[in-house]
Amino acid sequence: MKHNHHVIVGGVSVGAEKLKIGELAEMCNVTKRTIDHYTNIGLLKAERSSSNYRYYDASSIERIHDIERYKTAGMNLSDIKKRLLEKDAEEIDLHELRLKISGLDKDVSDLLATLDKSDIKNLEHLKKNVSHESLSLIQTLLLLLS
């Protein structure tokens, strides 16, 4: 499964294709045993092929670099795992928030497009269905996003 997407990691262009453990180890300057250990304790995620080989995506490269930086800073693997899980959760939360805000932005845009300020009926409908706090929140979020 080759794609044309590329990421530059450490000056090396990495595509979206999956990496074998040996390739990942070489790119990150760690041993295959280290990657195997990180995978077994849940620091890295691998996909299994039908022939039971483990494959890693390109994001594993940055993940290993993060792990090695944390180790160099004196953190143990248990604390590193907690830190990475927190970081993953924050990224998921941010992604969900962006999706929700994008949906709100579309709803507000649609609402404003249909609202004719001279049409009292539409204005009253808007006031009934959207609270002042909601409008303020939407406006603040839109300002923060732009």
Side-chain angles (χ1 to χ4, degrees):
M1 99 165 42
K2 298 250 184 203
H3 300 283
N4 291 331
H5 307 286
H6 291 280
V7 177
I8 305 297
V9 178
V12 179
S13 177
V14 180
E17 67 272 2
K18 302 297 178 185
L19 302 166
K20 293 180 183 176
I21 191 170
E23 296 169 327
L24 182 60
E26 185 178 328
M27 294 178 89
C28 294
N29 201 26
V30 297
T31 65
K32 290 192 284 187
R33 187 169 179 222
T34 297
I35 292 175
D36 189 44
H37 182 61
Y38 290 168
T39 304
N40 289 335
I41 64 172
L43 288 172
L44 288 176
K45 291 182 183 162
E47 294 179 22
R48 293 274 183 181
S49 69
S50 57
S51 54
N52 210 28
Y53 284 107
R54 277 186 278 190
Y55 287 93
Y56 299 85
D57 63 26
S59 68
S60 296
I61 297 167
E62 190 61 36
R63 184 101 167 176
I64 291 172
H65 289 300
D66 288 345
I67 294 166
E68 295 300 309
R69 269 194 304 277
Y70 291 140
K71 279 175 52 180
T72 301
M75 290 180 71
N76 65 45
L77 292 178
S78 176
D79 289 340
I80 292 171
K81 185 174 182 179
K82 288 177 192 171
R83 170 82 52 96
L84 293 174
L85 288 173
E86 289 169 1
K87 182 179 173 186
D88 292 345
E90 288 171 4
E91 288 174 5
I92 290 169
D93 290 346
L94 273 175
H95 180 69
E96 285 183 28
L97 182 59
R98 284 188 180 115
L99 288 175
K100 287 179 182 178
I101 290 172
S102 178
L104 278 175
D105 185 30
K106 184 187 178 321
D107 290 347
V108 169
S109 295
D110 291 347
L111 190 60
L112 292 175
T114 61
L115 183 63
D116 180 356
K117 291 186 185 211
S118 64
D119 188 351
I120 301 298
K121 218 169 161 183
N122 279 338
L123 189 56
E124 290 303 317
H125 177 72
L126 175 65
K127 285 181 180 178
K128 283 182 193 173
N129 291 307
V130 181
S131 71
H132 178 70
E133 292 83 10
S134 295
L135 281 175
S136 296
L137 176 62
I138 291 168
Q139 290 171 339
T140 302
L141 291 172
L142 290 172
L143 286 172
L144 289 172
L145 287 175
S146 51

